[in-house]
């Protein structure tokens, strides 16, 4: 059943000039399954209110019926699920035809919410109740399940589709946040000075909360006409970050705005009075009532009572009255003396028949049968701001409006480092220290009268433009308001509570007082313990009153407590806007489509994709990998190794440079030769390896690991900048393609394609030649990584495809196969070559990796050398050894542990079954005692079974390196 | 819950700098287990206002090194009984913890951790992608197609807790046993005579004491500078963010190193999310938009249906990182000065065991056996602890 | 997002840069003690303050020196490596 | 009016070199050397002009229509390793972005304010485009600006696909080949 329409508290009024709705465009929608109609220009809340729907939601904790409070995104009373989207704010979300709207956080619908019983139980639940109960190990699990079912607001649809939204970078000289009178004036002033201006406002239109004001309207028209002002309504400034970087969220996208200067014309947020049942539907802020009335022509009620504590209350009453709404009474918290600043308005109100009661306060609102407010008990206020409950009077009404004060919307200003101080006369925090390039104007700055707000905006706009390099401006401040727009304690105690301070979290005065009593008596601790201000509206309507309660309890001023830290987001932001399109760039070698054409099965390698193996019909993965290995061992194989980092270093001191960055000696490398290089960090840990080739006296070419290529190159650039040697580095990783063409037949197949003599004498193992292969200028490196006669062929990326096709064609009838990363892993392990990062970890040094053969300790200096001396003295903590498993059966997997005497004695770093060798082989990092023992060892396998293995020397395959040196080759 | 102490006494048997979880836990156990009640906890801000109140509350013991596993496992044991000890609901909620692997290399590390864990009696398993899908059916295993999940380390005891409440529980417990907690009291200097601590200078005057425990996370280098002690600690911000509350849909804690995401759903229904460390040194807890952008993007890669879920708030803490991603604890070269630092991104889960071991160390003057691998002199000896392999994304 | 003025490329968002750590003079490895060396390798000036650091503009591979106030999150100045006006 | 188009221009000839004497050597080849770092010179000719971009102070990137022979000559010269001149292999992937909406499109993928560039200074922009390092040379067209965008070829296909998506969403056209 849908909520009752019994009360018909609100209703749509006749057309009026300036209304925002378009009555020619009716929009149908459903709420809780029932059909309703609104107009284009309505928000969801205004449309429902106009249809007389009494309450729109249930509260977070007690499931009390709730309706419009601020109508301005300063509370989260009206959170709805709209077309499956949870937690949509009805107050500010434009109505669209066909919307299907449900209340959130109910159990069985809005009207019959089973959880409303919590409102009755609630009296037994003190603040911190959750911390005090159900925590025994026995009961917590049950209770948690129940609790988690009750908490949370909207329901996420697990089937919602991801929609990529665009994101944009934006730039302007001056960003003005808030298009009220001061913001509009600031934008105009900045534009007049020559600045490019962006003016944003979360509302649907410019003007802020100011209601129809002719001079302001003229300024707004000017703003729209200005070519240098970009006006962006319905755009929230969600966060202010460093260096004037502001997140702007509209209904399409996130714009990351970089401004040279920012004007905060963010205004003030009207604060509720706190009294019993101040959350009943029909109790709302005066600004909410005025906005409903003037924009959407929704009558807030027929018999209205105003709770007042400032001039704005009387102005609101007059505005309501002018539109035919009857105000029965004005309950003013202030004495007649204190209210003199509204003297003229008071007299006008009185003349219209409104009863004005000074030094009175609301004591409790009364709910009618439909749950909405139907009356108010009020009474005289004593000097301690307490209502004498023996002198109560009752007045009936169908709406209760509150106009008792404001809080500065200083959150964005605080986020970018602005400081505030409490102004006692205004009873408001005002900007104190502003970061460079930021300016504040208008009511947030303590300037309240509309002409003054416009003047203050002009001042701030001109200053901002000047900061951005346009025009000059003086800093003659606009005087702050001399009246008191905010009451110092609009909070009325009640023994039965339900006087809500925080509507998001259902927190009452006593909840805060109890927390303070328990010692949570700083603003930060109070916030965390009571959760005041931690709900979706982030304290916008609760923080100030909570501070006042804490200040009263401690006998100090709110200024001595200070505001708690304000953090982004100002309003919550859907993740889709933050995520944007989610760009994901993948790196592909120039041979990518060649791999795809022959059945490559891809695997990620850093941000690259590489063929893991090539699938062929009739073969499974294992068979394909084995066949690829066989091709290399018996005929020839071709692998794309283009992902290796490829770097050139030129210059008279290039050799010296390499001698410093590599652990091995390289300066003495002969031109036309290559050498394995091991790179360490300053602590002596292995960070990279590769092959270094000497192209010329002053030119070297070397490779790095795939994963390390970017970081290694960047660090080498840094070292080069630091050392200032006479050399220069060139990163050709992406510009050069590379393949490894390996196998006993490789030379025979390559020779006809190649313009240099490949014979052993002319081009020995570890040599390098510049050559022409298949008509392409290439670098050929005789390498032995896979343990066969083989050549790495490096060509410009643009020619890679030709090279690949030529090689494939040449080997087609001779058993050539392209092989992938998996086969290469097998081949290299058969050779016992380590993979940095797999067989070594973040603390492995060359001693432990058995790689001291690649280290030139006698060199004058290399990175890691000094540490290595210390490590040598310390002795290895582990050693990399070859292992062999002869038994059949399930193998251990990489990272399974070696166990000796019940203790961890090492781990397997690489393991697989070698078809070539007919046994399982691997590498393991083991404790030194075990490495020395050379005996049997035990590995704990997948199911916990112990698998016998033994330590063996490496390489496992062709230990004399005869094949790669081609000694036995034909 | 705690009383306000208006008077700072001229001297105490021990002074603890920092009223975060670690400092308060040490005070609690000093008073409860070692009979040391003449103790002051000095806090420059407010109780639990540092990393204790800023972390993402994940508790686990699935570390890589035996030292780490034993230490955190003891912490997990202590966690179980804290609520009863404190008579305070900490919302200690065992959820199960998944560290997702998107590459074979990551999977190897998961297996390594699982094997070490199991060897030491800690419930961890390397699981495949199908298991992940069974346990978290709503996850997109392909992660939008660019980081397919190949498996995970599943750590059944992984839990979350209400972070602030831990500080309150220890604080109240210590307070009731006579420990004085002084907020808004900043230590500005440490007085040393002949290599021994004799007291601390504070914004409220000098306080004499023979024993000082420094438990100040991101402020550690500043305190050590006061003593002229050198430190390997470097401080980077660690950011986090939280969504609006939504109804329960996610039970386990999910961590992905490749996507730089960790996420859990709190008892209130909020998604509590974090990523990796900020890339440069900073001693300020500002938030950045790039963080919220990239984390949201990666969240949607895993859980594409969350696009409309709103981010409510972001914040940051200051992580005191160590070179081997293991903590730095125990006695120092200055007699009477004890260190509890280097917690980086993983300190919350260690709160109880730090309290236990540091109170022991403070009371006896000797390092507790569980923290012997964590002493500050290990760097000079090149005896690093080696959590680095597993802790690329810690927490 | 912070802006950083690259001496070569001008003001850019800090996400265009890679942080290279503090500029730290290396002790003479031949004459220093093990303790001095391990101090250099592992220890840092970790307190907040104005730091001299290496930064790299990623797209151009250009390394330079930045002076940054790590307490206030302010880039005080940037200098080409080895520039005469770079503070010592 | 051209709203927005992106054309692939991989077939253009490109050459690079760096080194302490690179500027001097290039100048000796009769090429106009841009005076300042990160700026370019543009030499109009029958092939639509040669762009010579100075990257930093001592590195150069040249691109020209493949039909012209200037770059072939320069490349051959560099390959002889003149003293202090080091070859830089440039196999970049390139696109030409043009149209009145080009700046708006760039604002979706780059954090640099291209609209604010002073083209009379002939600036060369090295920046990140959706995380990929790019080299951007903006030239004044007849009615709009044209941006030549170059990147490492191994990022080319993925970046190209990404830009294509954005371009199309922005209402522009993606041309796989030069029109």
């Amino acid at each position: 059943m849908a909520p009752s329409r019994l009360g018909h508290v609100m209703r749509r009024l006749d057309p009026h000039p300036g209304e925002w709705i378009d009555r020619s465009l009716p929009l149908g929608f459903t709420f809780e399954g029932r059909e309703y109609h609104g107009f284009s220009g309505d928000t969801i809340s205004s449309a429902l209110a106009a249809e007389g729907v009494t309450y729109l939601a249930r509260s977070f904790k007690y499931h009390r019926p709730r309706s419009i409070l601020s109508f301005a995104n300063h509370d989260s009373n009206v959170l709805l699920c709209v077309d499956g989207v949870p937690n949509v704010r009805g107050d500010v979300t434009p109505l669209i035809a066909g919307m299907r709207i449900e209340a959130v956080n109910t159990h069985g619908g809005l009207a019959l919410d089973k959880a409303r019983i919590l409102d009755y139980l609630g009296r037994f639940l003190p603040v911190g109740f959750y911390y005090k109960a159900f925590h025994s190990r026995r009961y917590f699990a049950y209770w948690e399940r129940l609790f988690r079912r009750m908490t949370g607001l909207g329901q996420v649809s697990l089937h919602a589709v991801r929609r990529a939204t665009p994101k944009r970078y934006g730039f302007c000289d001056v960003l003005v946040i808030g298009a009220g009178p001061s913001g509009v004036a600031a934008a105009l002033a900045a534009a007049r000075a020559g600045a490019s201006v962006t003016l944003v406002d979360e509302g649907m239109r410019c003007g802020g909360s100011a209601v129809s004001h002719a001079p302001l309207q003229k300024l707004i028209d000017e703003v729209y006409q200005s070519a240098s002002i970009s006006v962006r309504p319905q755009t929230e400034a969600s966060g202010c970050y460093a260096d004037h970087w502001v997140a702007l969220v509209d209904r399409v996208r996130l714009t990351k705005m970089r401004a040279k200067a920012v004007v905060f014309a963010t205004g003030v947020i009207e604060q509720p009075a706190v009294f019993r049942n101040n959350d009943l539907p029909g109790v709302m802020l005066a600004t909410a009532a005025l906005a409903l009335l003037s924009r959407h022509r929704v009558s807030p009620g027929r018999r209205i009572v105003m709770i007042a504590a400032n001039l704005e209350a009387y102005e609101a009453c007059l505005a309501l009255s002018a539109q035919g709404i009857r105000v029965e009474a004005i309950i003013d918290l202030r004495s007649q003396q204190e209210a003199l600043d509204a003297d003229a308005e008071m007299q006008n109100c009185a003349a219209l028949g409104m009863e004005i009661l000074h030094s009175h306060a609301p004591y409790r609102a009364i709910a009618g049968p439909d749950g909405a407010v139907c009356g108010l008990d009020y009474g005289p206020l004593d000097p301690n701001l307490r209502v004498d409950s023996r002198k109560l009077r009752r007045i009936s009404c169908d709406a209760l409006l509150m106009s008792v004060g404001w809080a500065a919307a200083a959150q964005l200003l605080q986020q970018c480092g602005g400081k505030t101080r409490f102004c006692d006369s205004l009873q408001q925090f005002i900007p104190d220290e502003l970061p460079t390039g930021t300016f504040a104007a208008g009511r947030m700055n303590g300037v309240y009268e509309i002409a003054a707000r416009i003047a203050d905006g002009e001042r701030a706009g001109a200053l901002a433009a000047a900061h951005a390099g346009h025009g000059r401006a003086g800093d003659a401040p606009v005087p702050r308001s001399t009246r008191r727009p905010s009451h110092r304690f609009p909070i009325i105690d009640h023994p039965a509570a339900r006087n809500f301070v925080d509507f998001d979290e259902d927190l009452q005065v006593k909840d805060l007082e109890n927390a303070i009593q328990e010692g949570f008596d700083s603003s930060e601790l109070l916030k965390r313990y009571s959760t005041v201000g931690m709900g979706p509206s982030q304290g916008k309507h609760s923080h100030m009153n909570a501070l006042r309660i804490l200040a009263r309890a401690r006998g100090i001023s709110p200024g001595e407590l200070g505001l708690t830290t304000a953090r982004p987001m100002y309003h919550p932001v859907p993740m889709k806007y933050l995520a944007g399109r989610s760009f994901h760039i993948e790196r592909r070698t120039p041979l990518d489509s060649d791999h795809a054409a022959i059945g490559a099965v891809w695997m990620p390698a850093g941000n690259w994709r590489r063929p893991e193996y090539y699938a062929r019909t009739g073969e499974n993965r294992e068979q394909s990998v084995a066949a690829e290995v066989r091709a290399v061992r018996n005929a020839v194989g071709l692998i794309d190794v283009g992902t290796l980092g490829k770097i050139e270093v030129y210059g008279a001191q290039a050799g010296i440079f390499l001698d410093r960055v590599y652990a091995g000696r390289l300066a003495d490398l002969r031109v036309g030769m290559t050498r394995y290089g091991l790179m360490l960090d300053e602590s002596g840990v292995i960070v990279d390896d590769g092959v270094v080739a000497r192209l010329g006296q002053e030119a070297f070419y070397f490779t790095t690991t795939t994963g390390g290529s970017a970081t290694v190159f960047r660090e080498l650039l840094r070292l080069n900048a630091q050392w200032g040697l006479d050399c220069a580095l060139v990163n050709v990783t992406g510009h050069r393609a590379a393949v490894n063409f390996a196998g006993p037949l490789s030379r025979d197949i390559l020779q006809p394609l190649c313009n240099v003599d490949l014979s052993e004498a002319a081009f020995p193992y570890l040599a390098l030649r510049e050559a022409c292969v298949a008509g392409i200028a290439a670098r050929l490196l005789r390498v032995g990584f896979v343990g066969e006669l083989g050549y790495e062929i490096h060509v410009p990326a643009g020619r890679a495809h030709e090279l690949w096709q030529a090689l494939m064609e040449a080997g087609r009838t001779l058993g050539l196969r392209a092989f992938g990363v998996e086969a290469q892993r097998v081949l290299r392990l058969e050779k016992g070559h380590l993979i940095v990062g797999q067989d070594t970890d973040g603390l492995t040094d060359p001693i432990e990796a058995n790689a001291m053969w690649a280290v030139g300790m006698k060199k004058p200096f290399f990175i890691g050398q000094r540490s290595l001396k210390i490590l040598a003295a310390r002795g290895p903590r582990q050693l990399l050894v070859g292992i062999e498993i002869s038994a059949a059966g399930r193998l251990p997997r990489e990272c399974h542990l070696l166990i000796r005497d019940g203790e961890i004695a090492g781990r397997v770093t690489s393991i697989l079954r070698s078809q070539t060798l007919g046994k399982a082989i691997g590498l393991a990092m083991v404790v030194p005692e075990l490495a020395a023992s050379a005996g049997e060892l035990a590995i704990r396998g997948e199911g916990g079974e112990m698998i016998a293995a033994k330590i063996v020397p490496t390489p496992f395959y062709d230990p004399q390196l005869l094949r790669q040196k081609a000694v036995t080759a034909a | 819950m705690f009383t306000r102490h208006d008077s700072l006494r001229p001297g105490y048997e021990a002074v603890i700098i920092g009223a975060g979880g670690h400092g308060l836990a040490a005070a609690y156990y000093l008073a409860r287990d070692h009979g040391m009640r003449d103790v002051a906890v000095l806090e420059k801000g407010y109780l639990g206002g540092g990393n204790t109140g800023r972390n993402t509350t994940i508790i686990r013991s699935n570390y890589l090194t035996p030292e780490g596993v034993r230490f955190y496992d003891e912490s997990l044991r202590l966690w179980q009984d804290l609520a009863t000890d404190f008579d305070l609901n900490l919302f200690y909620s065992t959820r199960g913890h998944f560290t997702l692997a998107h590459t074979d290399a990551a999977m190897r590390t998961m297996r390594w951790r699982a094997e070490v864990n199991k060897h030491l009696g800690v419930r961890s398993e390397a699981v495949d992608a199908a298991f992940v899908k069974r346990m978290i059916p709503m996850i997109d295993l392909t992660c939008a197609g660019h980081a397919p999940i190949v498996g995970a380390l599943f750590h059944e005891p992984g839990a979350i807790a209400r972070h602030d409440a831990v500080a309150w529980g220890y604080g109240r417990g210590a307070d009731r046993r006579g420990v004085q907690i002084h907020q808004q009291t900043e230590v500005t200097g440490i007085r040393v005579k002949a290599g021994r601590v004799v007291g601390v200078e504070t914004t409220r005057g000098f306080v004499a004491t023979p024993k000082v425990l420094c438990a100040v996370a991101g402020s550690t280098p500043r305190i050590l500078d006061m003593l002229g002690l050198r430190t390997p600690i470097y401080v980077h911000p660690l950011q986090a963010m939280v969504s609006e509350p939504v109804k329960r849909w996610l039970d386990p804690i999910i961590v992905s190193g490749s996507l730089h995401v960790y996420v859990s759903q709190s008892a209130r229904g909020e998604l509590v999310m974090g990523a990796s460390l900020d890339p440069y040194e900073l001693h300020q807890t500002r938030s950045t938009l790039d963080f919220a952008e990239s984390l949201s993007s990666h969240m949607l890669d895993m859980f594409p249906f969350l696009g409309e879920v709103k981010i409510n708030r972001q914040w940051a803490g200051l992580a005191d990182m160590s070179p081997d991603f293991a903590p730095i604890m125990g006695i120092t070269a200055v007699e009477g000065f004890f260190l509890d630092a280097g917690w980086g991104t993983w300190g919350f889960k260690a709160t109880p065991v730090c309290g236990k071991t540091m109170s022991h160390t403070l009371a006896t003057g000797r390092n507790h056996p569980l923290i012997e691998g964590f002493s500050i002199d290990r760097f000079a000896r090149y005896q690093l602890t080696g959590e680095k392999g597993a802790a690329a994304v810690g927490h | 997002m912070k802006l950083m003025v690259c001496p070569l490329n001008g003001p850019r968002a800090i996400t265009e840069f890679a942080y290279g750590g503090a500029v730290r003079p290396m002790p003479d490895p031949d004459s220093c003690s093990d303790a001095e060396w391990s101090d250099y390798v592992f220890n840092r000036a970790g307190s907040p303050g104005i730091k001299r650091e290496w930064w790299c503009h990623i797209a151009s591979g250009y390394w330079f020196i930045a002076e940054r106030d790590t307490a206030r999150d302010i880039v005080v100045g940037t200098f080409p490596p080895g520039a005469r006006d770079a503070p010592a | 009016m051209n709203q927005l188009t992106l054309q692939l221009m991989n077939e253009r000839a490109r050459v690079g070199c760096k080194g302490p004497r690179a500027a001097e050597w290039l100048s000796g080849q009769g090429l106009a050397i841009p005076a300042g770092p990160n700026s370019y010179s543009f030499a109009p000719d029958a092939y639509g002009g040669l762009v010579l971009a100075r990257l930093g102070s001592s590195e150069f990137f040249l691109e020209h229509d493949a039909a012209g022979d200037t770059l072939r000559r320069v490349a051959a010269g560099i390959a002889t390793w003149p003293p202090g001149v080091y070859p830089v292999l440039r196999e970049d992937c390139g696109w030409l972005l043009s149209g009145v909406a080009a700046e708006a499109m760039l604002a979706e993928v780059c954090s640099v304010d291209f609209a604010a560039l002073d083209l009379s200074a002939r600036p060369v922009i090295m920046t990140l485009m959706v995380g990929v390092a790019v080299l951007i040379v903006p030239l004044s067209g007849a009615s709009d600006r044209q941006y030549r965008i170059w990147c490492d070829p191994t990022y080319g296909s993925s970046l190209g696909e990404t830009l294509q998506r954005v371009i199309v969403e922005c209402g522009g056209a993606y041309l796989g080949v030069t029109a």
Side-chain angles (χ1 to χ4, degrees), chain B residues 127-373:
Chain B
V127 298
D128 62 10
F131 183 91
V132 173
K133 188 70 183 172
R134 214 161 42 245
M135 297 288 282
I136 319 164
M138 66 292 286
I139 201 165
D140 176 1
L141 275 186
T142 75
C143 291
H146 52 256
I149 295 165
V150 297
L153 176 66
F154 175 55
H155 178 53
E156 207 181 316
I160 55 173
R162 174 85 173 90
H163 51 7
D164 296 320
V166 179
W168 303 335
Y170 276 120
R172 186 176 63 172
D175 178 275
R176 284 183 179 165
R177 288 169 176 81
V179 170
Q180 289 199 340
I181 301 165
H182 292 280
Q183 303 179 71
Q184 313 290 330
T185 307
E186 184 170 357
V187 170
T188 55
I190 299 175
R191 214 179 275 176
V192 177
K193 266 195 191 137
R196 302 175 67 110
V197 167
V198 295
V200 297
E201 315 279 356
T202 79
T203 47
R204 292 166 65 190
F206 178 73
V207 178
T209 184
K211 289 182 175 181
V212 171
L213 169 63
C214 171
V216 298
S219 299
T220 304
R222 258 186 285 181
I223 299 286
L224 294 185
D225 275 1
M226 293 173 187
L227 289 157
L229 288 178
R230 297 280 290 155
T231 166
I233 288 169
Y234 55 102
V235 175
H236 287 217
L238 181 67
Q239 301 191 55
M241 66 184 193
V242 66
S243 77
E244 280 186 352
V246 289
K247 292 287 178 208
R248 166 187 173 175
W249 65 272
L250 178 70
D251 286 337
I253 304 151
I254 318 277
V255 178
S256 161
S258 300
L259 293 180
H260 305 294
V261 172
Y262 51 97
V263 57
S264 66
Q265 188 175 19
S266 76
R268 283 163 51 90
E270 301 141 324
L271 296 174
V272 183
M273 294 165 272
S276 48
L277 277 184
D278 281 7
Y280 50 90
E281 178 187 330
L282 190 66
H283 301 257
Q284 217 193 47
T285 55
R286 90 285 178 265
S287 298
T288 69
L289 181 58
D290 348 348
F291 166 82
E293 291 178 76
S294 69
L295 181 49
S296 296
S297 166
H298 291 142
M299 276 294 293
L300 297 189
D301 288 348
M302 285 198 292
F303 302 112
F305 50 86
L306 290 178
E308 299 289 350
V309 170
K310 300 190 191 88
I311 300 304
N312 220 9
R313 190 168 62 246
Q314 52 176 145
W315 68 92
L318 295 180
D320 47 335
M321 304 302 298
S322 70
D324 57 0
F325 291 13
I328 298 172
M329 299 178 75
I331 57 173
T332 65
V334 176
E335 197 177 335
F337 183 78
F338 303 88
L339 196 54
D340 173 57
W343 289 105
T345 66
W346 47 85
F348 177 68
K349 64 182 74 67
T351 304
V353 72
C354 283
K356 271 276 190 188
T357 55
M358 288 313 300
S359 62
H360 169 97
T361 304
L362 211 69
T364 64
R366 283 190 305 276
N367 282 340
H368 187 283
L370 272 178
I371 66 169
E372 269 166 3

Side-chain angles (χ1 to χ4, degrees), chain C residues 8-9 12-13 15-16 57 59-60, chain D residues 37-38 56 111-112 125-127 133:
Chain C
L8 175 62
N9 296 281
R12 294 293 173 85
T15 46
E16 287 208 6
H57 182 252
S60 59
Chain D
N38 287 4
S111 68
V112 171
I125 306 297
M126 286 181 276
T127 186

Side-chain angles (χ1 to χ4, degrees), chain B residues 56-70:
Chain B
T56 46
T57 82
I58 297 169
I59 298 161
R60 61 180 176 87
S61 61
N62 57 353
Y63 278 72
L64 181 61
T65 62
E67 300 95 309
V69 176
R70 286 196 189 100

